[in-house]
Amino acid sequence: MLEWEPVIGLEIHVQLKTRTKMFCRCENVWGEEENTRTCPICLAHPGTLPVANRTAIEWAIKLGLALGCEIAPRALFHRKHYFYPDLPKGYQISQYDVPLASGGRFVLPTAEGDREIGIVRAHLEEDAAKTIHVGGSAGRIAGAEYSLVDFNRGGTPLVEVVSEPDVRSPDEARRFLQLLRRTVVELEISDAEMEKGSLRCDANVSLREVGESGFRTKTELKNMNSFKFVADGITAELERQRDIYEGGGEVVQETLHYDPSTGSVAPLRSKEYADDYRYFPEPDLVPVEPPAGMVEAARAEIGELPGARIRRLEAEVGFDLAEGLVSGGRDRLFEEVPGDRRAVANVLMNQFAALSIDPAQVNAAELGKLIEARETLPRSTFAEALMATGDPDFRADSYLVEVAISDFDELDPVLDRVIAANEAQVTSFKAGKEGVLGYLVGQVMRETQGKANPKVVNERLREKLGA
Ligand code: ADP
Ligand code: MG
Ligand code: ZN
């Protein structure tokens, strides 16, 4: 049996959430009525001229720096030509031989040590319009009766991040993408939501024998719209290529579409060669020459990166919890919540994560109190209380008092049972042994699985015992 090694490089599109589009002043929004955010520039009327969005340039620089790239002192825009209804100019303004950022590396922590993924480049471009295919299967063009075009998306700023073919497994691709997503979300430059298309990923995939030098022919998997589909699509393609090689065949370079409903890949269109795009410098835009001050200001806005935070938290809670907390955006809350580190991490990663509460809204000290009290609470009460922590005014003590049973109709039968079952203690309490009351309250708490309000139980017991 041959041993095969996957070789994977990702091309990731990050849609920037600037207020306006890349080259015009149309509002950059998602989910509005179709073709209501357009103008002569993004509709490519003759004679109109693009003007680059300064914020988009600043944010692309910020992302480039976070990926450890060099920022070009003089970057160029190029026209990339192709013919399709989503591109009314007949070309996309993109970057070619001199991208804004290049030559970086992304450190991906793993349980076994750091993996380094080279970053070839991060360049700025405009998004194409969105085509909607009607009548075919699964919204694809094949078999569609007709197609509609929504130009609201046309001209939205995109950063395309291209990795070196350094990724070695489907799972590593998924984790790389998740951590890159976390990075852009924290830089506050994109929503980076795969299901909305503001984060998109193509995977270049090939196989080689372990120990072989050089790479073999790759295929390109397009637009998988969830982290899971990225991993599943790559897995399916690796299996397909292995079967071809083991059957004595050759892999041909092509673009493929992964269909999650069948788990299979199918050809999309034959790969265009770079020459087909007839790249040439965009004559309507000046080169981008970011002043040193702009680059330094961008650098100053980058905080501690997610990978570094995983390493820091790993010592406290182990790798898996650390990675989960950071990728899920809950590590900053974790660091503020007092209490046993593993208990806090586990609650945040399990019950709390399931509630999709905005961690920024949570009062960490109160959440800490609640987590500390959880052993004394029934599961359902704890789950409900956790839900309530989404309110910044949540206070653990008063919440627990309020939800606790204080109702005499519910309490009395339990109290009566406890009194009847503990004759000796009742007698000694009546004889003046105050301390025994605590024991009786404890019995009531046990019978109600912690749901009773201890203060109310205490008072009601005294009443019943005639004290
Ligand atoms: P193309 O000219 O086809 O766009 P590039 O050299 O620009 O190819 O690389 C595009 C992407 O494909 C990059 O992410 C790169 O890391 C990846 N890649 C290149 N060669 C291979 C290969 N043999 N196997 C897997 N990925 C590859
Ligand atoms: Mg390419
Ligand atoms: Zn416009």
Side-chain angles (χ1 to χ4, degrees), residues 143-160:
E145 282 170 40
Y146 58 92
S147 300
L148 299 169
V149 187
D150 177 10
F151 287 97
N152 285 2
R153 197 183 75 179
T156 297
L158 290 181
V159 178
E160 178 175 339

Side-chain angles (χ1 to χ4, degrees), residues 282 314 403:
E282 168 60 70
E314 185 184 7
V403 298

Side-chain angles (χ1 to χ4, degrees), residues 155-228:
T156 297
L158 290 181
V159 178
E160 178 175 339
V161 177
V162 181
S163 88
E164 296 283 358
D166 289 343
V167 178
R168 288 290 171 271
S169 74
D171 191 53
E172 194 167 284
R174 178 185 57 76
R175 296 178 46 252
F176 169 46
L177 190 60
Q178 276 174 328
L179 219 53
L180 183 67
R181 169 177 195 273
R182 200 64 233 155
T183 306
V184 305
V185 168
E186 289 175 6
L187 293 175
E188 298 184 343
I189 63 174
S190 174
D191 294 332
E193 304 212 48
M194 292 196 83
E195 59 285 13
K196 287 187 183 171
S198 49
L199 179 70
R200 309 200 281 268
C201 177
D202 304 334
N204 299 273
V205 178
S206 69
L207 270 183
R208 63 179 175 184
E209 283 173 45
V210 169
E212 186 177 324
S213 63
F215 298 134
R216 297 194 185 187
T217 303
K218 70 172 159 68
T219 57
E220 188 171 355
L221 278 176
K222 280 285 184 196
N223 282 340
M224 294 155 289
N225 59 2
S226 78
F227 294 110
K228 182 174 184 304

